[in-house]
Each structure stands twice: as structure tokens, then as C-alpha cells.
Amino acid sequence: MAEAISNLSRKEQVIRKAAELFKEKGYSAASMRDLAQKLGIEAASLYSHIKSKEEILRTLCFDMATDFRASLSSVEKQNVSAREKLRLGIIGHVQVMARDLTASAVFMNEHRHLSQPYLRDFLLLRINYINRFKTIIEEGISSGDFRKDIDTKLAVMTLFSSLNWMPAWFSPDSTIEPEKLGQQLADMLINGLKQNV
Amino acid sequence: MAEAISNLSRKEQVIRKAAELFKEKGYSAASMRDLAQKLGIEAASLYSHIKSKEEILRTLCFDMATDFRASLSSVEKQNVSAREKLRLGIIGHVQVMARDLTASAVFMNEHRHLSQPYLRDFLLLRINYINRFKTIIEEGISSGDFRKDIDTKLAVMTLFSSLNWMPAWFSPDSTIEPEKLGQQLADMLINGLKQNV
DNA sequence: TTCTTCCACTAACAGTTGTTAGTTTTGCTT
DNA sequence: AAGCAAAACTAACAACTGTTAGTGGAAGAA
């Protein structure tokens, strides 16, 4: 029953290495023998730490989802304008991503390999998250923060596309801090939405 | 030698079905037996039409690349402002995508499964395409079309992220025409870049 | 020492992978 | 009717897939 304490460290090593591998080769193309080799052990030994290959994917995807949702929740609580909420939401999203770019890449690109019912659950979480951003944009349109002639669906999809491809090109050794990057991204996107007074 | 004429039709059927399958399940998770089943034939029969699984992927990726480059080239030739060039470039890109959303999705998500040296070639084409957009943006900054304080790398990456995720959420039975969509997307992105006079 | 927990091992499984060789069917053209 | 090419078939290959069963060593606690 010490599993919850001491096993975690080794189990986490396995999961982190798996994240790297899944990001690199994709979930399907990454074999358990590849993963084992990266850790210097035999494939069968992995099963002392994890229940299945998919369990790793599940952990990676749902843990990231939890972080994203927590970040957005704290933004929603604040009593600020829609424009500021959107800005903070974007910065928060970028910060969560930057905290683990590898897991973020997996979260984004490999979640479709989840089996049911996990895939369904994941997609529900995801659409909920997106809709909450959409609500912020709609708020901003009502309040006059944003232009009235924008297609909110297109806007929110553009927003997410921009955010989600970050792990693909943002290098962790980059000099720019995540907050600054989020700032810039928000600036670029929001000024595209802003009313031309 | 009739291969070039009559074989094409069946070979193209195979490639199109493969594109659907690759988009759906991902290249690695899609087996040749899956593909054969979709076509109502045996897996081995596929090899009357194609040389290998990867040949299909190569065809899909490089054919799309050719189309994208052709579209951009025709835009570059025009003697218009940088802002207009960017607008036309975006519309062109969206139109090429819309012409084959399935192949576009494969182009975007599965190209990494190309083996060398094809992968290298593909990435070179891709970076060249991106750099040509970047040049347009830099032109626009010099000419005063765009704000001077934007990070061009971030801008171009945001642009591509937005463009590239389109096949994931744009449904072909949507009422909106590709040109209109490209128009809107360009509007949203460009007004984010536009100088606030 | 003995017990327990962690972590690795070997051996093996049943199923799937892309692909080949060789053969037969199909349908058009002469 | 004969011939030809396209396109399908069956059978099989070697390699690889995720995973299980059972075992053993190492390290710390009793």
C-alpha cells in the first residue's frame, strides 16, 4: 500500500519518458519496447509500474486537462472586463502548457487514441473548456470590448489553434518567458478582435 | 504502359480511401488490412496499385505541398500591397485546403511518419512556404501596413496554426464557402496586425 | 535473521504488421 | 473466340505488438 508514495517516483519517470516518446513518434508508432529501451529496462518490466500502455496516455491527457480547467476557473472568478479575462485566460493557458510542453503535445495530438469511454469523457471536458472561452468572447461582444461582426465560432477556433500548436514550435530553451509569450499572443489575437473605435 | 491512364483511377481510389483512414486513425494505427476492407478487397491486392504504405503517404503529402506552393506563387506575382498579399495568401491557402480537407488533414498531422530522405525534403518545402509568408509580413512592417512591434516569428506561427487546424473542425457540408471563410480568417488575423492609426 | 516491498528479469502468448510470390478471375480489344 | 492487361485472389513470411506468468535480487524494517 506504499504504492501511493514510493512507487510514484519510478512510475512518474516511466510516464515522463513515455510522454517524450509519444510526442516524438506518436502514440501508435511508439512501442512498449521502445519505451523500455529508453529507460534501460525490459518491456515486461514496465508492467510493474503501469497497468497498460493506454493508462499512460490517459494519465497524461487527463492530468493536463485538469490543469487547464483549474487555470481557467481562477480567471473566471475575477471581476474584470471580458477583454482582460480573455487576456488572462490566454496567458494562463500558455503557462500551463509551458510547465510541461511534452505532455501538452501529447494532450493535443494523441488524445484521439484513447478508447471509449475515456475518449468521450475527454472530448466533453475539451468542449466545455472551449465553450467557456467562447462565453468570454460573447461577453466581450455584448459589452462592446470586441467587434460585433465577428464569428464567435471562428474566433474561438482560431484562438485554440494558435494556442495548441505552441508545443510544436516553442522550444523550452527559448529565452522568452511563458508569461511574456502569452502576453504577446493575447495582444496579437485580442487586437484582432478589438473594436475599431 | 497504359498504367499512366487507366491505373490512375483505381490507384486514386485507393489513395483517397487511405487518406480518409489516415485522417481517422492516424497513419500508424491504420493498417493495410483496414484499408483493404474499406475497399472491399484483400490486403495483398492493394499492392497491385501501390508500392508500399508509405508511398501513399508520400503522394498525399507532396501533392498537397505542390498545391500550396502553386497558390502562394501566384499571389506573390501580383503587384499589390503586403496587406493585400497576405489576405490573398490566406484565402488561397484555405481554398487549397477546402479542395481536399481529408488530404489536408493528413498533410498536416501525418507527415512526420515519412521516412528519410522524404521527411527532410518535406520539411524543407514547408519551411520555405512559411518563410515566404514571413517575408510578406516583414514587407508589410516596412511599408507601414503592419505594426512595427510585432514578433514576426510569433505572427507567422499563429497564422499557420490557425490555418492548419481548419481541417480538424471545418465540416465540408458547412454552408460557408471556403473563400468567405478565408476572407473572415484573414480579416481577423490581419486586423490583429494592423497599425492602430 | 526474516519479512516485505520494489523493481527488475526470462520466457512466452496470441494476435497483428507490411509485404511477397504465384495464381486466377474479370472485362475489354482485336 | 483468342489474347491481353488490370485487378483480384490464396498462402505465407518474418518481424513486431501489448501483455501475462512466474521468478529473483536488493534494500530497508521488524
Side-chain angles (χ1 to χ4, degrees):
Chain A
M1 279 303 123
E3 192 217 318
I5 303 165
S6 59
N7 216 8
L8 261 190
S9 126
R10 189 58 171 156
K11 181 172 183 174
E12 252 179 25
Q13 279 178 43
V14 170
I15 291 176
R16 294 184 81 83
K17 275 277 181 234
E20 288 173 28
L21 196 66
F22 292 172
K23 178 184 180 178
E24 233 176 80
K25 312 184 74 171
Y27 177 77
S28 290
S31 79
M32 296 304 270
R33 282 167 181 86
D34 286 341
L35 176 55
Q37 198 180 18
K38 269 203 153 198
L39 289 156
I41 60 176
E42 292 298 315
S45 308
L46 292 167
Y47 292 83
S48 303
H49 307 289
I50 48 111
K51 291 197 197 83
S52 68
K53 186 185 180 186
E54 205 195 317
E55 189 209 30
I56 302 177
L57 183 61
R58 243 180 285 148
T59 304
L60 288 167
C61 288
F62 284 93
D63 283 2
M64 284 304 302
T66 302
D67 289 356
F68 282 127
R69 290 160 63 79
S71 162
L72 183 52
S73 290
S74 84
V75 168
E76 284 169 332
K77 276 184 199 124
Q78 303 195 32
N79 195 14
V80 292
S81 72
R83 193 191 298 178
E84 182 64 8
K85 260 190 206 164
L86 183 56
R87 202 180 66 89
L88 293 175
I90 291 171
I91 293 174
H93 187 103
V94 172
Q95 281 177 326
V96 170
M97 274 189 144
R99 217 153 58 209
D100 193 344
L101 281 168
T102 310
S104 296
V106 173
F107 168 88
M108 177 184 101
N109 290 312
E110 311 300 331
H111 69 258
R112 63 168 153 172
H113 294 108
L114 289 168
S115 65
Q116 298 294 6
Y118 305 102
L119 180 57
R120 186 178 296 117
D121 293 345
F122 180 90
L123 294 177
L124 285 174
L125 288 180
R126 190 172 221 256
I127 206 144
N128 172 270
Y129 187 70
I130 291 178
N131 278 338
R132 282 155 71 187
F133 266 96
K134 201 171 162 195
T135 300
I136 294 177
I137 292 179
E138 282 161 357
E139 257 177 59
I141 293 179
S142 301
S143 73
D145 274 6
F146 301 138
R147 285 161 40 190
K148 295 210 188 309
D149 63 329
I150 57 168
D151 180 331
T152 51
K153 189 189 167 190
L154 182 67
V156 83
M157 284 308 173
T158 304
L159 170 61
F160 273 92
S161 306
S162 313
L163 290 175
N164 288 340
W165 266 95
M166 241 196 57
W169 57 269
F170 180 71
S171 70
D173 48 286
S174 165
T175 51
I176 190 167
E177 309 136 46
E179 193 185 332
K180 191 105 190 243
L181 178 64
Q183 194 74 255
Q184 286 189 348
L185 199 53
D187 173 56
M188 200 160 67
L189 290 165
I190 290 179
N191 286 336
L193 299 176
K194 193 165 61 180
Q195 207 171 26
N196 288 337
V197 188
Chain B
M1 278 301 121
E3 191 215 320
I5 303 165
S6 59
N7 215 7
L8 260 189
S9 127
R10 190 56 171 158
K11 181 171 183 175
E12 252 179 24
Q13 280 179 42
V14 170
I15 291 175
R16 293 184 82 82
K17 275 275 181 236
E20 288 173 26
L21 195 66
F22 292 173
K23 177 182 181 180
E24 232 176 81
K25 313 184 73 173
Y27 177 77
S28 290
S31 80
M32 296 303 271
R33 283 167 181 85
D34 287 341
L35 176 55
Q37 199 180 17
K38 269 204 151 198
L39 289 156
I41 60 177
E42 292 297 316
S45 309
L46 292 167
Y47 291 84
S48 303
H49 309 289
I50 48 111
K51 291 196 196 82
S52 67
K53 186 185 181 187
E54 205 196 318
E55 189 207 32
I56 303 177
L57 182 61
R58 245 180 284 147
T59 304
L60 289 166
C61 288
F62 284 93
D63 284 3
M64 284 304 302
T66 302
D67 290 355
F68 282 126
R69 290 160 63 80
S71 161
L72 183 52
S73 290
S74 84
V75 168
E76 285 170 330
K77 277 184 198 123
Q78 303 194 31
N79 196 13
V80 293
S81 72
R83 191 191 301 177
E84 182 65 8
K85 259 189 206 166
L86 183 56
R87 202 181 66 89
L88 293 174
I90 291 172
I91 294 174
H93 188 103
V94 172
Q95 281 177 326
V96 170
M97 275 187 141
R99 218 152 60 207
D100 192 344
L101 281 168
T102 311
S104 295
V106 173
F107 168 88
M108 177 183 101
N109 289 313
E110 311 300 332
H111 69 258
R112 63 168 154 174
H113 294 108
L114 290 168
S115 66
Q116 299 292 6
Y118 305 103
L119 180 57
R120 187 178 294 116
D121 293 345
F122 180 89
L123 294 177
L124 285 174
L125 287 179
R126 190 171 221 258
I127 205 146
N128 172 269
Y129 187 70
I130 291 178
N131 278 338
R132 283 155 70 188
F133 267 96
K134 201 171 163 194
T135 300
I136 294 178
I137 292 179
E138 281 161 357
E139 257 177 60
I141 294 178
S142 300
S143 73
D145 274 6
F146 301 138
R147 283 160 44 188
K148 295 209 189 310
D149 63 330
I150 56 167
D151 179 330
T152 52
K153 190 190 167 189
L154 182 68
V156 85
M157 284 307 172
T158 304
L159 170 61
F160 273 92
S161 306
S162 313
L163 290 174
N164 288 340
W165 266 95
M166 241 195 58
W169 57 268
F170 180 72
S171 71
D173 48 284
S174 164
T175 51
I176 190 168
E177 307 137 46
E179 193 185 331
K180 192 105 191 244
L181 177 64
Q183 195 74 255
Q184 286 189 348
L185 199 53
D187 173 57
M188 201 161 66
L189 290 165
I190 291 181
N191 286 335
L193 298 176
K194 195 163 59 180
Q195 207 171 24
N196 288 337
V197 187

